[in-house]
Amino acid sequence: MRKLILAASVWVMFFTLTGCNEKPVDPITNPEEAPVVKMVISHEFNGQRINFNSVEYATTHNLVSFAELSYFLTDFEFKKADGTWMPFAYQALIRARQTPVDTLVFTNLPKGAYQGLRFKLGVDSVNNHADPALWPNEHPLSIMRGGTMHWSWNAGYIFFKLEGRFFKDAPIQGAYSYHIGRDDLITQYTFEDISFNYNDKVVVLPMRFEAKNFFETPHQHMMRDSALFSHSAFDDEVAEILHGNMSNLILKD
Amino acid sequence: MKHVFLLSLFFVGFMACKPEPNPKKEYPAPRPVTLATKPFFPPAVIPADNPLTVEGIELGRHLFYEKKLSGDNTQSCASCHNQELAFTDNGKPFSTGITGAVGVRNSMPLFNLTWTNRFFWDGRVPTLRAQVLLPIEDPTEMHESLENAIHKLEQTALYPELFGKAFGDEVVTEERMAKALEQFILSIQSTDSKFDKFRVNPVLSPLSLQETRGFNIFMREFSPPGSGRPVGADCFHCHGTHLFTANNFTNNGLDESPAVGFSIVTNDPNDIGKFKTPSLRNVGVTGPYMHDGRFATLEEVLEHYNAHIKQSQTLDVSLKSQGMGLGLTTQDKADIIAFLHTLTDSVYLNNPAYKSPF
C-alpha cells in the first residue's frame, strides 16, 4: 500500500511540475505562423495591465479608475534601410476595455530591413470630415464599428476617448470624460530605435500604452470641476493640456 | 351500418380536401432584393445565409401579421408592433399577451435593424433570427409552441405555397419561419424623415429656426451653467450618427438601484443597469419611453436628463460628469423636441410594403 501511495505521489508531483513548465515564447519568431509583422500594444498604468472599472490607480493628484479607453491609430509608415519612410495604408480602432492587449497585424508589408516606425493617433483632416457612412461596415472608421467615436455633424471623429471615475480631492466620487479630437490635435509617434528584418518569420513589435502619462507627463493634471471633461472645442484649455501629454502615451516596450 | 359507411366516406372526402405540403412541387428561384443605399446611411448588413428575396420578405410579412402563430389565434407580432406607431404597442408601457399576462419591457420600435446587432432591451439575443420566434413561445405573449404553429400553417392553403415560393419547396420549418421573419423585419427601413430631406438638400428642405436651434442643443456638448458657453444637452454621444444611436448599452440614470440590464449577457457587474440605446428616429410616435415605459412624453424624458439623473455605480460617465444637471430652459427643451419631431418618417409609417397582407 505504501508503495502505491509513493508511486501516486510521484506521478502527482511529475504532472504538477510539468504542468507549470510552460515553454518560453520567443517574442520575435514563431515558426508555425505565416510570416507577418505585428504590433502588440499592452494598455497599462504605471507598468501594470489596466483593470477596467474595478481598480483605482494613483496619479499624483487623484485616484482614478478607467471605464473606457478607445483611440484611432492611422498613417503608419515604416523606415526603410535607405532612410526613406514608406507609407503603409493601415487604420486601427483600439478598444482597450474590450481588448486590453491589442495586436495590429500588418499583412502585405514588403519583405526587407526596417529601422523605424511612425504613426499617428487621430484621423487625417480629409477622412476626419468625410461622410463616415461611406466606409465599409468592417472598416475601423465605419460608424458601425466606432459609432461612439464620432461627433456626428460637429467635428468628425473623437480621436481619443478616456473615461472613468476619480476618488480623491472631491467631496463625492466624480467622473471624468476626455474626448480629444480636432484636426490640430493629432499626435505623431516616431520610433527610430525600432529595427527589424522581415523575411520569412513573424516579427512582433511590442508597445506599451502608459495611461499614467496622460495625467502627469509632462503636465500635472488635477481633477477639478472645470477640468473633468473635454470635448476639444477650439477654446478648450483642458484638451490642449491633455493633448500635450499624449505624445508620451505609446512607448516602445 | 349505412351511417358508418356514409361517415367514413365523408371523413375520407374531408381528408382529401385538407391541404398537405408538397415537398416535391418545384418553384422558381426567389428573386433577390437589394436594399437601396441612402445618403449618410452605412451599407445595410444582411446575413450571408439569408439574402433578402421578394418571396422571402412576402412570406415574412404574412407571418408577422399571422394570428395563427398565437395559442388562441388572436394575436400576431403586429398586435404589439403597430406600424403607424413605428411598430410599437399603441402607447402602452407593457404589452398584454393572449392569457392577459402583462410583460415587463416596453415594446421596441422596428426599423433600420440592418444596423443593429443585439436584440431586446437587455441585448440578450445576438441575432434577429434568434429573436423573432421567442415571442411566439413566450407564455406572457403569444403562448404557442412552434410545433403547433407550424402544424397550423401547414393546414392552410396559403402558407405551403408561400414557403415554396420563398424556399423552393413547401416544407414549413422553424428555421424557415425565422428566416422569413428576419427578412421582412430587415427590409423595414426608415430613411425619409424631414431631417433626412434636410440633410440631402438643406436649401430645398430647410429646418425651421426652432428645429435648427433644437438640433444644435442636441448635438452640442454639455457645458456647466455659468461657464459662458452655449447650452448643450450632449444627446449625440449616445444618440449620434445618422442612425441616431451609437448601438451601445448605457445606464442612463433611471434608478439608484438599477435593473440587471446588459449584465445578463456579460455577467459583468459593471454592466448592471445598462440597456440598449434606441434610435431616436420616429421617437415622436414611440412613447412611452425607456425600457419600462416609465415616461409618457418627450417632455418627461428631457426633464429626466435635465435634472433627475439618479446616481449609481454604473451610471454613464457622460451623465455623471454633468453633476447638477444640464441646465436646459423650458424653451431649450421645446426646441429639442421640435427637432426630434423632424425625425418622424411618415413614408415609413405608411409604407404599404410593411402593412398587413390580410
Side-chain angles (χ1 to χ4, degrees):
Chain A
M1 187 62 183
R2 274 187 182 175
K3 280 183 182 174
L4 247 174
I5 291 172
L6 190 65
S9 303
V10 169
W11 275 107
V12 168
M13 185 83 87
F14 174 75
F15 280 116
T16 306
L17 285 174
T18 52
C20 295
N21 186 22
E22 287 183 10
K23 278 186 179 177
V25 177
D26 183 344
I28 302 302
T29 61
N30 179 348
E32 292 176 9
E33 280 188 72
V36 75
V37 176
K38 298 176 178 181
M39 186 168 107
V40 178
I41 309 175
S42 175
H43 295 88
E44 301 178 0
F45 187 96
N46 205 19
Q48 300 296 310
R49 183 83 40 81
I50 293 175
N51 197 334
F52 283 83
N53 285 307
S54 52
V55 175
E56 297 158 19
Y57 299 93
T59 69
T60 303
H61 296 288
N62 298 101
L63 279 175
V64 299
S65 69
F66 300 98
E68 181 70 41
L69 168 57
S70 300
Y71 56 95
F72 288 103
L73 295 182
T74 62
D75 284 350
F76 282 78
E77 291 181 282
F78 289 88
K79 191 175 188 181
K80 297 196 291 187
D82 64 4
T84 60
W85 287 95
M86 180 188 71
F88 185 76
Y90 191 89
Q91 289 114 341
L93 168 59
I94 310 289
R95 289 198 177 281
R97 184 165 92 95
Q98 289 86 345
T99 315
V101 180
D102 209 341
T103 301
L104 313 188
V105 181
F106 305 117
T107 51
N108 302 323
L109 184 72
K111 301 280 173 65
Y114 295 94
Q115 54 187 20
L117 167 66
R118 64 188 184 191
F119 52 83
K120 291 171 182 161
L121 192 159
V123 178
D124 70 89
S125 181
V126 172
N127 285 323
N128 193 26
H129 302 295
D131 179 1
L134 296 178
W135 294 104
N137 289 330
E138 63 277 8
H139 194 279
L141 296 178
S142 164
I143 57 172
M144 294 301 292
R145 288 196 56 197
T148 57
M149 294 292 283
H150 197 271
W151 264 307
S152 299
W153 295 272
N154 287 10
Y157 290 90
I158 298 170
F159 299 164
F160 173 88
K161 178 186 282 190
L162 183 66
E163 296 177 343
R165 295 166 196 280
F166 68 97
F167 301 89
K168 202 174 176 183
D169 295 334
I172 55 170
Q173 177 189 341
Y176 65 89
S177 174
Y178 299 118
H179 297 178
I180 309 297
R182 207 172 67 202
D183 287 348
D184 58 324
L185 295 183
I186 286 181
T187 305
Q188 169 91 49
Y189 295 90
T190 302
F191 301 93
E192 301 235 35
D193 53 348
I194 286 178
S195 62
F196 59 92
N197 283 310
Y198 175 44
N199 292 311
D200 55 355
K201 291 179 179 174
V202 172
V203 176
V204 176
L205 310 175
M207 297 286 189
R208 180 161 65 92
F209 180 103
E210 181 47 77
K212 191 166 194 264
N213 290 345
F214 184 73
F215 295 97
E216 53 189 47
T217 308
H219 306 290
Q220 296 283 330
H221 181 67
M222 183 185 289
M223 303 291 190
R224 59 185 193 281
D225 283 350
S226 60
L228 295 182
F229 55 89
S230 165
H231 295 295
S232 303
F234 281 99
D235 56 350
D236 187 338
E237 288 179 3
V238 177
E240 302 285 351
I241 290 169
L242 292 175
H243 176 250
N245 287 354
M246 286 175 63
S247 55
N248 298 301
L249 281 180
I250 300 177
L251 312 167
K252 182 186 164 196
D253 204 8
Chain B
M1 188 63 191
K2 188 178 170 186
H3 285 143
V4 171
F5 174 74
L6 278 174
L7 263 176
S8 302
L9 204 62
F10 177 76
F11 178 73
V12 170
F14 177 78
M15 291 306 288
C17 291
K18 191 187 83 174
E20 282 291 337
N22 180 0
K24 289 182 181 168
K25 184 175 174 185
E26 290 188 2
Y27 288 87
R31 294 162 290 172
V33 169
T34 303
L35 295 177
T37 303
K38 295 293 184 73
F40 309 112
F41 284 89
V45 182
I46 304 296
D49 62 346
N50 193 23
L52 303 190
T53 64
V54 174
E55 293 78 8
I57 292 169
E58 185 61 6
L59 170 59
R61 184 164 72 114
H62 278 77
L63 293 172
F64 188 83
Y65 287 94
E66 181 52 72
K67 292 182 177 176
K68 289 188 176 71
L69 297 186
S70 64
D72 62 358
N73 303 324
T74 61
Q75 286 197 348
S76 67
C77 306
S79 302
C80 302
H81 292 283
N82 179 353
Q83 180 187 355
E84 293 173 2
L85 298 172
F87 290 98
T88 55
D89 192 3
N90 305 294
K92 299 175 190 170
F94 304 119
S95 301
T96 304
I98 65 164
T99 64
V102 178
V104 295
R105 296 276 161 78
N106 185 239
S107 178
M108 298 189 82
L110 303 178
F111 58 81
N112 297 352
L113 297 186
T114 52
W115 297 298
T116 195
N117 51 14
R118 281 203 162 269
F119 298 87
F120 289 127
W121 279 102
D122 54 13
R124 67 183 181 275
V125 178
T127 68
L128 181 56
R129 198 179 312 168
Q131 188 275 332
V132 290
L133 298 183
L134 296 177
I136 298 173
E137 293 193 291
D138 190 324
T140 66
E141 300 186 50
M142 297 162 76
H143 197 22
E144 178 61 293
S145 70
L146 291 173
E147 189 182 359
N148 276 349
I150 288 170
H151 183 67
K152 284 191 272 185
L153 297 179
E154 286 174 339
Q155 301 305 303
T156 65
L158 175 66
Y159 281 101
E161 185 175 358
L162 288 179
F163 274 84
K165 287 178 176 174
F167 295 109
D169 65 58
E170 297 185 350
V171 177
V172 181
T173 67
E174 283 180 31
E175 187 192 6
R176 287 177 171 186
M177 285 170 61
K179 280 186 166 180
L181 280 165
E182 181 180 51
Q183 285 195 41
F184 171 61
I185 296 171
L186 288 178
S187 77
I188 298 174
Q189 294 204 296
S190 176
T191 57
D192 289 304
S193 65
K194 178 177 181 178
F195 182 74
D196 292 311
K197 293 178 176 70
F198 161 77
R199 282 282 281 158
V200 171
N201 193 330
V203 176
L204 281 180
S205 307
L207 300 184
S208 71
L209 284 176
Q210 185 182 28
E211 291 160 352
T212 303
R213 188 164 182 274
F215 169 82
N216 287 331
I217 299 171
F218 181 99
M219 289 295 172
R220 195 179 291 132
E221 300 89 353
F222 164 71
S223 295
S227 68
R229 294 174 189 269
V231 65
D234 221 344
C235 311
F236 71 94
H237 274 119
C238 290
H239 294 286
T241 79
H242 209 54
L243 301 175
F244 287 92
T245 173
N247 274 322
N248 54 347
F249 289 83
T250 306
N251 175 352
N252 61 346
L254 294 173
D255 299 298
E256 286 171 358
S257 301
V260 176
F262 190 45
S263 68
I264 199 169
V265 176
T266 62
N267 231 1
D268 182 347
N270 293 302
D271 289 327
I272 288 174
K274 294 182 179 178
F275 289 93
K276 193 173 180 68
T277 304
S279 170
L280 294 188
R281 287 179 170 275
N282 301 294
V283 73
V285 301
T286 62
Y289 304 99
M290 306 298 154
H291 65 278
D292 53 7
R294 69 177 64 191
F295 299 132
T297 64
L298 288 173
E299 284 81 0
E300 287 179 32
V301 173
L302 281 175
E303 190 47 31
H304 162 73
Y305 288 115
N306 194 36
H308 300 286
I309 294 290
K310 304 284 194 308
Q311 299 291 321
S312 67
Q313 195 59 37
T314 61
L315 175 63
D316 186 87
V317 292
S318 296
L319 297 173
K320 194 171 184 67
S321 59
Q322 289 164 7
M324 298 305 287
L326 293 171
L328 301 176
T329 64
T330 304
Q331 185 62 52
D332 294 333
K333 288 184 276 185
D335 294 343
I336 293 171
I337 289 170
F339 161 66
L340 291 176
H341 282 294
T342 71
L343 301 175
T344 300
D345 178 358
S346 57
V347 175
Y348 145 76
L349 295 174
N350 297 292
N351 191 333
Y354 311 148
K355 287 185 184 299
S356 172
F358 301 115

